[in-house]
Amino acid sequence: MALLPILCYPDPKLHKVAKPVQAVDARVHQLVSDMLETMYEAKGIGLAATQVDVHERLIVIDVSEDRQQPLVLINPALVWTSPETHLNEEGCLSVPGIYDGVQRFDAIKVTALDGAGKSRTLEADGMLAVCIQHEMDHLLGKVFVEYLSPLKRNRIKTKMLKAQREERDDKD
Ligand code: NI
């Protein structure tokens, strides 16, 4: 097990489009295990492989209260979305400290491989549905702040770059 470094917005690597996972093999098992450890350590509810600079279609999620119900989605595909959407406040481990509203489908149906490589269909609503949509966006190279107005986004970009500069200066 290992903690993986999480890319921070506006790192251009966050905008790479992920490729399908070719085989759920030992390498992928290790990646899943490292991503789960990284997500739990960072107190996040979801993490996409893109965020740890692996550009393959893999996400891990745990929206449970006890933080013991990991969900692994490999090569996820949306097969149904509800006609209803709602505005939901979101945050992201790659944009620490920023929370803002994004319009998402209320309910979705997704097909994916699980951590064992088994094909499954998942119906989700509530926070899980929001989280899956947020993480699947990462695989397309999209960070949630891109739904916000250019003005807000630029403000966030400036704030993130300043925080990253300060962090670097502290280390020197
Ligand atoms: Ni995120």
Side-chain angles (χ1 to χ4, degrees), residues 46-48 51 91-95 134-135 138 142-144:
L47 186 68
Q51 292 175 276
C92 179
L93 292 176
S94 292
V95 200
H134 175 115
E135 301 310 331
H138 275 302
K142 188 158 189 176
V143 181
F144 84 100

Side-chain angles (χ1 to χ4, degrees), residues 2-4 6 34-42 47 52:
L3 288 178
L4 305 169
I6 298 175
D34 291 345
M35 280 175 60
L36 281 168
E37 190 185 356
T38 303
M39 176 187 76
Y40 286 127
E41 169 73 21
L47 186 68
V52 293

Side-chain angles (χ1 to χ4, degrees), residues 65-137:
E65 294 246 324
D66 62 8
R67 314 282 289 144
Q68 287 180 35
Q69 293 171 53
L71 183 66
V72 178
L73 299 178
I74 298 172
N75 298 339
L78 271 184
V79 292
W80 176 82
T81 56
S82 63
E84 305 82 22
T85 64
H86 70 286
L87 194 69
N88 184 82
E89 177 139 298
E90 293 182 24
C92 179
L93 292 176
S94 292
V95 200
I98 303 292
Y99 300 88
D100 215 318
V102 178
Q103 201 77 28
R104 300 285 190 189
F105 298 112
D106 280 0
I108 55 172
K109 199 190 267 188
V110 180
T111 59
L113 301 177
D114 66 14
K118 212 173 130 227
S119 177
R120 51 181 288 181
T121 302
L122 179 76
E123 283 176 48
D125 58 11
M127 205 206 295
L128 180 58
V130 170
C131 189
I132 292 172
Q133 291 171 78
H134 175 115
E135 301 310 331
M136 284 182 71
D137 270 354

